[in-house]
Amino acid sequence: GESVGLHLPTLSVQEGDNSIINCAYSNSASDYFIWYKQESGKGPQFIIDIRSNMDKRQGQRVTVLLNKTVKHLSLQIAATQPGDSAVYFCAEKLGGSYIPTFGRGTSLIVHP
Amino acid sequence: ETGVTQSPTHLIKTRGQQVTLRCSSQSGHNTVSWYQQALGQGPQFIFQYYREEENGRGNFPPRFSGLQFPNYSSELNVNALELDDSALYLCASSLQHRQGGEKLFFGSGTQLSVL
């Protein structure tokens, strides 16, 4: 089975709220994690990444948190906008590999 | 835009036929990965090519094959198409180097329908 999964398949938020998308991974040998955003009719777009020697990384309006103790990854989006509506995927990569494995995805719906 | 282009964007085939999908990688990238994405699912890894050699393969049968050319563009070939092969096929390019190179840049995909 898949080693990467998501807790919530759909997340609905109001414009301006903060969004948190969660992801569980099962392989403790994973050393690199990535979040992708996929809009309808497009390929996945890189958002932010984090290596296993970090527990937090911030980008523009996005923060990724990594909790290796419970094998949990989250993506926080501040001040969510309608343009953030998309499917979000987390992916993990095993040490020594260049091949990320994707989870199922969470659909984020932002209501104006 | 990632600079990764795929063709065609849409394709309709019938069961048993063969198909070739094409991908041009981003300038300067030396690695191409192919993924299959069924509706409502995450991308599933098919295989990866690094400097014209297969560098890893997912759980797909041998009728899925590929090539990478000296300019690092790539093809995905699928023989004896089955109905379950209907999916979005994504190509991603990346630059592998000693310090990393796992960040993939995806094209918009080819939507394949098998009837």
Side-chain angles (χ1 to χ4, degrees), chain A residues 2 31-32 34 36 38 41-46 49 51 57 87 89 93 97-105, chain B residues 35 37 40-45 48 55-57 88 90 96-108:
Chain A
E2 292 180 1
D31 67 352
Y32 179 68
I34 319 134
Y36 282 90
Q38 188 174 24
K42 297 184 179 180
Q45 176 189 357
F46 172 87
D49 58 0
R51 295 203 178 272
R57 190 159 189 228
V87 177
F89 294 97
K93 183 197 73 66
S97 166
Y98 290 99
I99 301 166
T101 300
F102 285 76
R104 249 189 73 203
Chain B
Y35 285 79
Q37 186 176 25
Q41 302 294 317
Q44 297 297 307
F45 175 70
Q48 183 182 83
N55 190 41
R57 188 178 182 93
L88 180 68
L90 294 162
Q96 283 193 22
H97 51 84
R98 198 171 300 171
Q99 286 74 39
E102 312 91 340
K103 188 185 296 184
L104 304 181
F105 295 83
F106 283 88
S108 293

Side-chain angles (χ1 to χ4, degrees), chain B residues 25-72:
Chain B
S25 57
Q26 185 174 106
S27 178
H29 284 182
N30 57 14
T31 304
V32 172
S33 304
W34 286 92
Y35 285 79
Q36 180 195 67
Q37 186 176 25
L39 192 63
Q41 302 294 317
Q44 297 297 307
F45 175 70
I46 303 175
F47 42 57
Q48 183 182 83
Y49 281 84
Y50 170 64
R51 293 186 174 179
E52 303 178 58
E53 304 236 341
E54 189 177 286
N55 190 41
R57 188 178 182 93
N59 189 26
F60 280 81
R63 60 189 184 84
F64 285 77
S65 62
L67 283 173
Q68 186 180 32
F69 300 100
N71 66 355
Y72 300 129

Side-chain angles (χ1 to χ4, degrees), chain A residues 15-16 37-40 42 45 47 61 77 79-88 108-112:
Chain A
E15 181 178 1
K37 171 187 179 183
Q38 188 174 24
E39 297 173 277
S40 181
K42 297 184 179 180
Q45 176 189 357
I47 301 172
R61 279 202 307 119
I77 304 174
T80 315
Q81 302 167 359
D84 294 328
S85 294
V87 177
Y88 290 79
L108 176 65
I109 300 170
V110 183
H111 301 283

